[in-house]
Amino acid sequence: MFISEAFAQTAPAAAEGMGSSLMSMLPLVLMFVVLYFIMIRPQMKRQKEHKAMIDAVAKGDEVVTAGGLLGRISKVGESFVHLELASGVEVQLQRTAITQVLPKGTLK
């Protein structure tokens, strides 16, 4: 007689436990969504823009490298470029080291 009453009392508690476990996971899911929109998505956009800029680099473009060197591109290869720092001074570097393309006429 007491056992059937005990089962009847615990049945609704089990259903509430399922709902509370979903509610406890909600903050974790919300944190992931917020991190995606604040950190991951903008970083992916920046990477895509940087790749497009590097693919568009051509001979004669004036660029800034990751090391802070300013120069004009004299030769373009598949993964390397030759950067002319001054007349007669040429450096070979990876395309990914280019951080910024300057407007024409910046270097004199």
Side-chain angles (χ1 to χ4, degrees):
M1 183 159 181
F2 292 115
I3 293 174
S4 63
E5 290 177 15
F7 280 125
Q9 291 176 355
T10 59
E16 290 175 11
M18 182 68 134
S20 67
S21 67
L22 290 176
M23 290 302 286
S24 67
M25 296 234 353
L26 185 64
L28 183 65
V29 171
L30 288 175
M31 283 179 19
F32 180 74
V33 169
V34 168
L35 284 176
Y36 176 77
F37 282 108
I38 290 178
M39 294 176 66
I40 297 171
R41 192 167 179 232
Q43 180 64 28
M44 289 171 46
K45 184 178 177 184
R46 264 186 249 117
Q47 285 177 345
K48 188 184 290 185
E49 290 172 353
H50 186 257
K51 185 178 182 332
M53 179 195 65
I54 287 177
D55 291 341
V57 165
K59 181 179 177 181
D61 285 347
E62 298 171 355
V63 296
V64 178
T65 66
L69 296 174
L70 296 161
R72 185 173 286 116
I73 295 178
S74 59
K75 293 180 193 173
V76 178
E78 189 173 320
S79 59
F80 293 97
V81 295
H82 290 260
L83 189 67
E84 184 179 357
L85 303 174
S87 58
V89 180
E90 198 169 290
V91 177
Q92 181 179 7
L93 61 117
Q94 292 180 336
R95 289 177 81 123
T96 57
I98 297 171
T99 58
Q100 184 179 8
V101 176
L102 298 172
K104 299 278 186 188
T106 304
L107 302 176
K108 294 182 181 184

